[in-house]
């Protein structure tokens, strides 16, 4: 059988997905919950089939690397691609957790009555068709499909070719559960073609795709952001910063900074830039820098004053702080690197954050309430914390369930993108025959019009 050209293949799949968007949008919450619970059960029941498909993926990846002469990378690739029975169990558990979350569709966050008796409301509705392009493994595929389904969105999923066989088996479980549960065909779609062009074609059809979510590394997110012709959700690019105020509690400040960086060195909400008030720099920075360098193997890039305070240590086990460049201040490192700058006051810290934005997650460490409140009001970031780690910027930590990722863009979803952020709002009005009446024209405006007519 002759394969369709990539463009036609993607377009055909997207048209099927678009046709499912409307019936899925008003599917009852109970039905979506039951379908997800059935999927969780199927994941457990079909664990051996999933693992067998995964063994085929692992074998194929290993052969491809050996054929290219990359024997030293085979073990690393095998470990990355391999799923365990525990992984499948965790996927099923995650689907059940999403199934039990409140359905955001139909929620009415605002409702008011106009003087003419008309009732105006804002109601949450699905976004529509969401394309998810992922470099990650099956757990992320399962999470993406489940979150989209629960929020009433059609999910068009393009995964990494390394898990192609595994994801096809998992996808078939979703399709079967949807069909048996009364969901529309095409509510979930998988791009099975492995060519890179398939992902690029997804980004070119805004009439068929309402939003795109990149779930992968910096290179994938860069390509999606530059190429997409539709809104991009979960664009988590942006600098994460912590400002330690002059009256901060020292042990608290040190622990918050350490957790913000070292809890997950490559997370998008791990701290990139540390700004320290001059009054507290001397007692804080030497010990904190030792901890970063020696305990967590984090490279420290410092301003001249930071260098003077921490540049050389007597113990040879400690590395030295290196001088920061201007490029470091606007960098989202996603690596064991932190840039430290000493500032005169909070205003300089706020100016620095604004200058080297966009800011993704920003936190202040202080014991002064007024300072904390002014910081939260004046800093421009998707998430602002007070005396809290930047790593807490996460929907699970907020008690909102699983998330697609973080968004630092100026769109309706800013911060953690969970179920509610996968919806938008529409106005619904209820009347009893109200008609629009002419609005009174201001007298001064009327006089100007009459004057103009008279001059004419």
């Amino acid at each position: 059988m002759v394969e369709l050209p990539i463009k036609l293949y993607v377009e055909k799949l997207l048209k099927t997905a678009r046709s499912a968007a409307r019936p899925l949008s008003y599917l009852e919450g109970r039905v979506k919950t039951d379908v997800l619970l059935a999927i969780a059960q199927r994941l457990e029941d079909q664990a051996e089939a999933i693992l067998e498909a995964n063994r085929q993926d692992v074998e194929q990846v290993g052969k491809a690397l050996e054929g290219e002469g990359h024997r030293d990378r085979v073990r690393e690739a095998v470990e990355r691609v391999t799923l365990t029975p525990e992984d499948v169990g965790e996927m099923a558990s995650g689907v059940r957790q999403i199934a039990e979350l409140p359905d955001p569709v139909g929620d009415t966050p605002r409702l008011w009555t106009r003087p003419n008796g008309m009732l105006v409301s804002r109601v949450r509705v699905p976004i529509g068709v969401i394309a998810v392009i992922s470099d990650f493994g099956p757990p992320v595929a399962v999470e993406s499909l489940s979150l989209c389904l629960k929020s009433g969105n059609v999910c068009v999923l393009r995964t990494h070719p390394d898990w192609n066989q595994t994801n096809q088996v998992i996808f078939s479980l979703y399709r079967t559960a949807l069909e048996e549960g009364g969901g529309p065909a095409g509510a979930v779609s998988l791009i099975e073609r492995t060519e890179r062009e398939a992902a690029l074609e997804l980004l070119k059809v805004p009439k068929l795709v309402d939003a795109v979510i990149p779930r992968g590394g910096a290179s994938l997110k860069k390509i999606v952001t530059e190429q997409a012709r539709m809104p991009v959700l979960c664009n988590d690019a942006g600098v994460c910063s912590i400002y330690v105020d002059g009256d901060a509690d020292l042990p608290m400040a040190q622990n918050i900074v350490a957790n913000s960086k070292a809890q997950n060195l490559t997370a998008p909400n791990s701290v990139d830039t540390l700004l320290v008030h001059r009054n507290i720099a001397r007692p804080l920075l030497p010990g904190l820098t030792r901890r970063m360098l020696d305990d967590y193997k984090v490279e420290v890039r410092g301003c001249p004053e930071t260098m003077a305070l921490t540049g050389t240590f007597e113990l040879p086990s400690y590395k030295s702080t290196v001088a920061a460049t201007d490029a470091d201040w606007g960098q989202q490192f996603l690596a064991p690197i932190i840039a430290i700058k000493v500032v005169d006051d909070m205003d300089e810290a706020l100016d620095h954050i604004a200058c080297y934005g966009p800011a993704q997650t920003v936190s202040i460490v202080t014991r002064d309430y007024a300072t904390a409140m002014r910081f939260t009001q004046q800093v421009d970031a998707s998430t602002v914390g007070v005396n809290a780690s930047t790593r807490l910027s996460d929907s699970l930590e907020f008690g909102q369930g699983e998330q697609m990722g973080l968004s630092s863009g100026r769109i309706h979803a800013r911060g953690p993108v969970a179920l509610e952020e996968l919806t938008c709002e529409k106005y619904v009005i209820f009347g009893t025959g109200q008609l629009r009446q002419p609005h009174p024209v201001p007298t001064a405006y009327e006089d100007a019009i009459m004057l103009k007519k008279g001059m004419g």
Side-chain angles (χ1 to χ4, degrees):
M1 182 177 176
V2 179
E3 284 189 332
L4 286 173
I6 285 291
K7 183 176 181 179
L8 294 179
Y9 167 80
V10 172
E11 185 176 310
K12 181 180 179 181
L13 186 143
L14 290 178
K15 286 181 177 178
T16 301
R18 173 56 71 185
S19 68
R22 189 168 66 89
L24 181 62
S25 70
Y26 56 76
L27 194 66
E28 291 183 22
R30 174 189 54 79
V31 176
K32 292 184 289 187
T33 298
D34 289 346
V35 167
L36 285 169
L37 291 174
I39 289 168
Q41 188 61 51
R42 288 173 183 273
L43 285 169
E44 291 177 339
D45 293 343
Q46 299 297 317
E48 188 52 45
I50 294 169
L51 294 173
E52 176 56 35
N54 182 247
R55 283 190 281 270
Q56 296 175 26
D57 283 329
V58 170
E59 184 178 349
Q60 186 171 343
V61 168
K63 286 181 178 179
L65 288 173
E66 287 179 353
E68 295 175 7
H70 299 296
R71 292 176 181 249
D72 55 330
R73 292 168 49 194
V74 170
R75 178 178 296 179
E76 178 184 341
V78 166
E79 291 177 355
R80 177 177 59 85
V81 178
T82 299
L83 289 180
T84 66
E86 290 73 23
D87 293 328
V88 178
E90 288 176 6
M91 286 190 284
S93 176
V95 175
R96 287 194 177 94
Q97 290 176 16
I98 292 171
E100 299 299 338
L101 290 172
D103 188 351
V105 178
D107 183 38
T108 306
R110 286 192 62 194
L111 180 69
W112 67 99
T113 304
R114 298 291 295 142
N116 64 0
M118 182 175 69
L119 189 66
V120 184
S121 63
R122 297 182 69 172
V123 181
R124 293 200 177 279
V125 295
I127 291 172
V129 177
I130 297 179
V132 179
I133 303 176
S134 173
D135 273 346
F136 297 135
V140 168
V142 167
E143 185 180 75
S144 300
L145 290 167
S146 301
L147 285 170
C148 283
L149 178 56
K150 182 69 177 184
S151 57
N153 292 291
V154 172
C155 181
V156 180
L157 181 64
R158 202 280 184 177
T159 61
H160 196 284
D162 285 354
W163 290 279
N164 197 40
Q165 299 295 324
T166 311
N167 285 327
Q168 285 188 38
V169 173
I170 290 172
F171 175 73
S172 68
L173 303 182
Y174 275 80
R175 289 296 294 266
T176 303
L178 262 169
E179 291 169 2
E180 293 181 357
V188 293
S189 298
L190 179 69
I191 302 288
E192 297 184 17
R193 299 277 289 271
T194 59
E195 298 94 325
R196 181 175 181 270
E197 289 74 16
L200 296 177
E201 287 297 329
L202 275 177
L203 307 175
K204 299 177 181 179
V205 279
K207 289 185 178 180
L208 298 176
V209 177
D210 297 298
V212 60
I213 296 177
R215 303 199 69 177
S219 59
L220 172 65
K221 292 172 183 175
K222 183 174 185 294
I223 291 171
V224 171
T225 303
E226 292 175 350
Q227 299 290 328
R229 297 180 185 175
M230 65 285 294
V232 179
L233 299 179
C234 302
N235 177 20
D236 57 19
V239 180
C240 290
S241 304
I242 293 177
Y243 166 60
V244 180
D245 194 39
D247 72 342
D249 178 274
L250 280 173
M252 178 191 289
Q254 190 173 123
N255 288 334
I256 286 174
V257 175
N259 181 264
S260 295
K261 183 77 253 182
Q263 199 273 335
N264 186 334
L265 293 168
T266 61
N269 58 3
S270 66
V271 66
D272 304 297
T273 299
L274 173 62
L275 305 170
V276 180
H277 194 292
R278 175 164 279 105
N279 291 350
I280 207 170
R282 185 172 296 278
L284 174 69
L285 287 181
L288 176 61
T289 305
R290 285 188 180 95
R291 190 171 173 182
M292 284 290 173
L293 293 170
D294 210 44
D295 293 349
Y296 305 122
K297 313 305 181 204
V298 172
E299 179 182 330
V300 177
R301 301 178 182 179
C303 69
E305 191 162 346
T306 301
M307 291 290 291
L309 290 170
T310 67
T312 305
F313 297 114
E314 295 179 2
L315 298 177
S317 63
Y318 297 132
K319 300 177 182 177
S320 295
T321 307
V322 299
T325 66
D326 191 63
D328 290 325
W329 305 123
Q331 185 72 29
Q332 184 187 39
F333 292 116
L334 301 175
I337 303 171
I338 188 170
I340 302 178
K341 182 178 182 180
V342 177
V343 295
D344 289 332
D345 50 31
M346 187 172 73
D347 287 324
E348 185 180 350
L350 289 168
D351 289 342
H352 180 99
I353 293 167
C355 178
Y356 293 99
Q360 191 226 90
T361 302
V362 177
S363 192
I364 181 175
V365 185
T366 183
R367 284 183 287 199
D368 186 86
Y369 177 81
T371 297
M373 290 300 98
R374 186 163 79 88
F375 187 85
T376 63
Q377 292 166 2
Q378 296 186 13
V379 75
D380 183 16
S382 59
T383 301
V384 184
V386 176
N387 296 329
S389 168
T390 61
R391 288 284 294 126
L392 292 171
S393 177
D394 182 281
S395 65
L396 276 174
E397 297 293 338
F398 293 170
Q400 297 173 319
E402 298 290 346
Q403 67 181 36
M404 286 284 198
L406 300 171
S407 178
S408 55
R410 295 182 179 277
I411 53 178
H412 83 287
R414 201 175 183 202
V417 178
L419 277 179
E420 188 174 296
E421 289 72 33
L422 293 175
T423 64
C424 53
E425 295 180 359
K426 69 179 179 183
Y427 285 92
V428 177
I429 61 175
F430 294 91
T432 54
Q434 289 89 340
L435 303 176
R436 180 160 182 167
Q437 304 298 326
H439 284 264
V441 182
T443 303
Y445 182 70
E446 284 184 357
D447 292 343
I449 295 296
M450 294 301 292
L451 179 63
K452 183 176 180 181
K453 288 182 178 179
M455 292 177 64

